[in-house]
């Protein structure tokens, strides 16, 4: 059986820098400019592509603009957008489109340039279009991002590291900083250049001409999300519904919920989490959580069956993993788009090949598996290209 594996992209890192060095010295610590770090993205899209997509039904897009008479006054319109919104925009404006890999599997393949970061931390690819002078203002994000210049040029300024107490400008529809502190970076990125920005580092990008910037975002769940998912998974563990047993000392005030009682209850929770059942619950909860999609998946026009799939493949199309779906392997099991899936050994091997980047033709696929592969397409795990 042959395969049509796509050529693996080199890691998006400066020449001579190892992934270990980046993770040790830069990841979530300090920014890094990677000149020509992602050449494949240069000129992949033009502004008209993004503006047209932003006006399509079902696309998550935002139009951010500054008032012509007072640039310190901002406005925000969320999708759906239409052409008149853009045509009537002030002089300074920006259009943002989320989840772009859903609309372009070819763009989604560029995630592999960042495979030195575990895939379960991937968020989505956002694109920002702005004409000259356009911006979304000085701000910071709660996630790691690689800002890849795809078209035109954008000037990036980086300043202070922020925290939860850093104030935002009041009365604006977006999070804006009025003070970035002392600038530590001020350069213009050209197509193919990439800038890594760690969480909470203030930054400001200003279009030097018509430009497209692609944001490859990475984030991790917060503690509240994890606790919520653990509670959801734990509802299926019947043994946890029995009332807990606590030692009871005589209290001077019968109305008091004592610190000793709270400590004992906390210890029960800790012991439960540290038990074999707790290990299973945490494993399932976290794997389900990080494999969930933030955005709805794009529905296909028609359901696929084995015959239709064979016909499309016979006409020269190829099958690949859907970059907009989330595949997480944990303790030998696959979690896909928030669910643990059950697969036999042959199906597991086939899915692993696809998730690892192979693009398969009809000759590469077992005929007996075409019905199953069609079901995977209907579940949005796979796409044809």
């Amino acid at each position: 059986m042959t395969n049509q594996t796509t050529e693996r992209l080199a890691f998006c890192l400066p020449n001579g820098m190892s992934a270990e060095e980046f993770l040790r010295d830069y990841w979530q610590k300090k920014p890094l400019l990677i000149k020509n770090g992602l050449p494949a993205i240069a000129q992949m899209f033009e502004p008209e592509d993004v503006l047209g997509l932003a006006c399509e039904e079902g696309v998550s897009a935002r139009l951010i603009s500054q008032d012509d008479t007072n640039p310190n006054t901002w406005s925000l319109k969320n999708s759906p957008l239409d052409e008149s919104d853009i045509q009537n925009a002030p002089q300074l404006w920006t259009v943002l489109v989320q989840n772009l890999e859903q609309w372009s599997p070819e763009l989604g393949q560029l995630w592999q340039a960042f495979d030195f970061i575990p895939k379960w931390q991937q968020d989505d690819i956002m694109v920002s279009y702005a004409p000259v002078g356009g911006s979304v203002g000085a701000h910071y994000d709660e996630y790691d991002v690689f800002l890849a210049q795809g078209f035109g040029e954008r000037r990036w300024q980086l300043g202070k590291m922020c925290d939860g107490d850093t104030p935002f400008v009041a009365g604006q529809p977006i999070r804006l900083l009025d003070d970035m502190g002392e600038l530590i970076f001020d350069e213009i990125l050209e197509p193919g250049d990439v800038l890594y920005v760690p969480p909470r580092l203030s930054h400001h990008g200003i279009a030097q001409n018509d430009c497209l910037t692609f944001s490859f975002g990475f984030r991790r769940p917060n503690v509240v999300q994890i606790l919520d998912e653990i509670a959801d998974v734990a509802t299926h563990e019947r043994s946890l519904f029995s009332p807990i047993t606590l030692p009871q000392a005589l209290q001077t005030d019968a109305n008091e919920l004592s610190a000793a009682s709270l400590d004992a209850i906390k210890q029960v929770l800790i012991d439960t989490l540290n038990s074999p059942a707790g290990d299973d619950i945490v494993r399932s909860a976290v794997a389900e959580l990080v494999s969930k999609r933030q955005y709805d998946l794009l529905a296909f026009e028609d359901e696929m069956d084995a015959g239709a799939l064979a016909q499309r493949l016979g006409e020269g199309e190829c099958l690949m993993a859907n970059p907009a779906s989330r595949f997480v392997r944990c303790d030998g099991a696959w979690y896909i788009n928030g669910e643990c899936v059950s697969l036999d050994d042959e199906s597991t091997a086939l899915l692993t090949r696809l998730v690892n980047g192979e693009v398969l033709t009809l000759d590469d696929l077992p005929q007996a598996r075409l019905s199953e592969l069609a079901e995977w397409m209907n579940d949005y795990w796979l796409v044809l290209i």
Side-chain angles (χ1 to χ4, degrees):
M1 185 178 292
T2 61
N3 69 68
Q4 188 177 326
T5 306
T6 54
E7 183 178 351
R8 299 293 295 178
L9 292 177
F11 282 164
C12 181
L13 293 170
N15 291 334
M17 179 179 290
S18 69
E20 291 82 3
E21 182 181 355
F22 172 81
L23 294 173
R24 182 190 67 226
D25 297 336
Y26 293 91
W27 179 247
Q28 299 193 329
K29 297 183 181 73
K30 57 185 180 180
L32 178 66
L33 175 62
I34 311 167
K35 293 295 293 182
N36 202 34
L38 196 60
I41 205 168
Q43 314 305 326
M44 181 179 280
F45 295 86
E46 296 188 353
E48 293 75 15
D49 301 324
V50 171
L51 295 177
L53 180 61
C55 296
E56 289 191 15
E57 183 179 355
V59 175
S60 178
R62 289 170 286 166
L63 172 62
I64 297 173
S65 56
Q66 297 170 257
D67 187 84
D68 284 335
T69 58
N70 182 7
N72 292 321
T73 299
W74 297 71
S75 63
L76 166 67
K77 181 175 182 183
N78 292 308
S79 53
L81 304 177
D82 57 43
E83 292 183 3
S84 65
D85 294 318
I86 296 171
Q87 292 170 353
N88 298 326
Q91 181 181 356
L92 300 179
W93 57 279
T94 296
V95 163
L96 306 174
V97 179
Q98 301 284 163
N99 194 31
L100 200 64
E101 62 266 55
Q102 174 156 270
W103 307 94
S104 173
E106 292 78 13
L107 175 66
Q109 289 180 303
L110 300 189
W111 272 120
Q112 64 186 243
F114 305 97
D115 275 355
F116 48 92
I117 309 297
K119 286 183 177 294
W120 66 264
Q121 298 184 35
Q122 292 176 1
D123 189 17
D124 76 323
I125 304 174
M126 181 187 76
V127 63
S128 166
Y129 165 76
V132 60
S135 166
V136 296
H139 65 286
Y140 73 83
D141 299 308
E142 296 284 359
Y143 52 87
D144 300 86
V145 65
F146 292 85
L147 300 166
Q149 195 63 26
F151 186 96
E153 299 172 328
R154 190 182 295 264
R155 177 185 180 187
W156 284 102
Q157 297 176 317
L158 308 180
K160 67 181 180 181
M161 189 66 74
C162 302
D163 58 34
D165 295 324
T166 302
F168 295 108
V169 178
Q172 299 295 338
I174 57 176
R175 303 197 320 174
L176 294 169
L177 298 171
D178 60 7
D179 177 23
M180 289 179 58
E182 181 180 354
L183 294 183
I184 62 172
F185 179 92
D186 190 348
E187 293 197 33
I188 293 175
L189 269 63
E190 300 174 333
D193 292 346
V194 178
L195 177 62
Y196 166 68
V197 180
R200 294 191 170 182
L201 182 67
S202 59
H203 53 283
H204 188 193
I206 305 169
Q208 304 301 289
N209 42 45
D210 281 5
C211 79
L212 297 175
T213 303
F214 295 81
S215 302
F216 291 77
F218 291 82
R219 67 173 79 221
R220 286 129 320 263
N222 59 49
V223 173
V224 172
Q225 289 174 312
I226 294 171
L227 290 174
D228 184 62
E229 195 72 26
I230 285 175
D232 185 58
V233 172
T235 59
H236 303 289
E237 183 64 45
R238 302 311 305 172
S239 63
L240 299 181
F241 282 82
S242 299
I244 60 176
T245 300
L246 296 176
Q248 185 62 64
L250 181 63
Q251 295 184 188
T252 56
D253 182 356
N255 296 311
E256 181 184 10
L257 174 58
S258 67
S261 295
L262 290 172
D263 287 344
I265 291 170
K266 181 179 177 181
Q267 190 60 51
V268 170
L269 293 173
I270 292 172
D271 292 343
T272 300
L273 289 175
N274 286 331
S275 70
D279 290 342
D280 291 341
I281 289 170
V282 172
R283 183 187 307 112
S284 295
V286 175
E288 288 182 11
L289 177 61
V290 300
S291 69
K292 287 181 179 179
R293 288 288 307 160
Q294 183 177 355
Y295 302 96
D296 291 335
L297 286 161
L298 180 64
F300 302 126
E301 291 184 2
D302 301 304
E303 282 207 355
M304 187 69 66
D305 58 26
L309 178 58
Q311 180 178 344
R312 297 276 295 272
L313 292 169
E315 292 172 351
E317 293 186 79
C318 301
L319 203 58
M320 65 174 281
N322 185 354
S325 280
R326 297 181 66 87
F327 302 90
V328 174
R329 189 171 60 245
C330 182
D331 198 27
W334 278 105
Y335 292 78
I336 305 175
N337 298 331
E339 295 183 4
C340 183
V341 300
S342 178
L343 302 172
D344 62 26
D345 290 344
E346 187 173 356
S347 296
T348 297
L350 188 56
L351 179 65
T352 301
R353 292 177 63 193
L354 288 159
V355 171
N356 285 342
E358 293 193 35
V359 179
L360 305 181
T361 68
L362 181 61
D363 292 337
D364 299 326
L365 301 168
Q367 295 296 311
R369 294 285 168 169
L370 289 182
S371 292
E372 183 176 24
L373 289 167
E375 291 178 6
W376 292 0
M377 284 204 65
N378 294 329
D379 289 334
Y380 315 117
W381 300 1
L382 310 177
V383 292
L384 288 164
I385 58 171

